[in-house]
Amino acid sequence: MKKSTEINHLEYLNKKGRILRKLIMQLSDEDLLRKLPAPGKHIIKQLKIKTSTISAFLSTRN
């Protein structure tokens, strides 16, 4: 019985996710920027480090 409850819950979450994705895709970039919070400085710093590491790795690979 527990598995069927988990499956129903997953189906519900998947359905809700599809609806939210459709709504998000309908928003313009400007609306998304206004509605969603900006990432913190720490996250931006980590992304820059990862991006530079990946680009350095890819340039040495070619």
Side-chain angles (χ1 to χ4, degrees):
M1 188 75 169
K2 187 176 180 183
K3 280 196 171 194
S4 66
T5 305
E6 290 175 6
I7 291 172
N8 288 339
H9 185 66
L10 286 175
E11 288 173 356
Y12 167 75
L13 290 176
N14 284 334
K15 182 179 178 183
K16 192 172 184 178
R18 283 191 296 272
I19 293 169
L20 288 174
R21 279 191 292 279
K22 284 181 187 177
L23 291 174
I24 289 172
M25 294 305 291
Q26 290 174 358
L27 292 173
S28 67
D29 290 342
E30 292 83 17
D31 289 336
L32 285 174
L33 287 174
R34 276 186 276 145
K35 293 178 189 279
L36 299 176
K41 292 179 182 179
H42 180 70
I43 293 174
I44 292 173
K45 185 178 177 182
Q46 285 181 334
L47 287 173
K48 286 181 180 179
I49 291 171
K50 288 181 181 181
T51 304
S52 63
T53 304
I54 290 171
S55 61
F57 173 73
L58 291 176
S59 65
T60 59
R61 223 172 129 189
N62 291 333

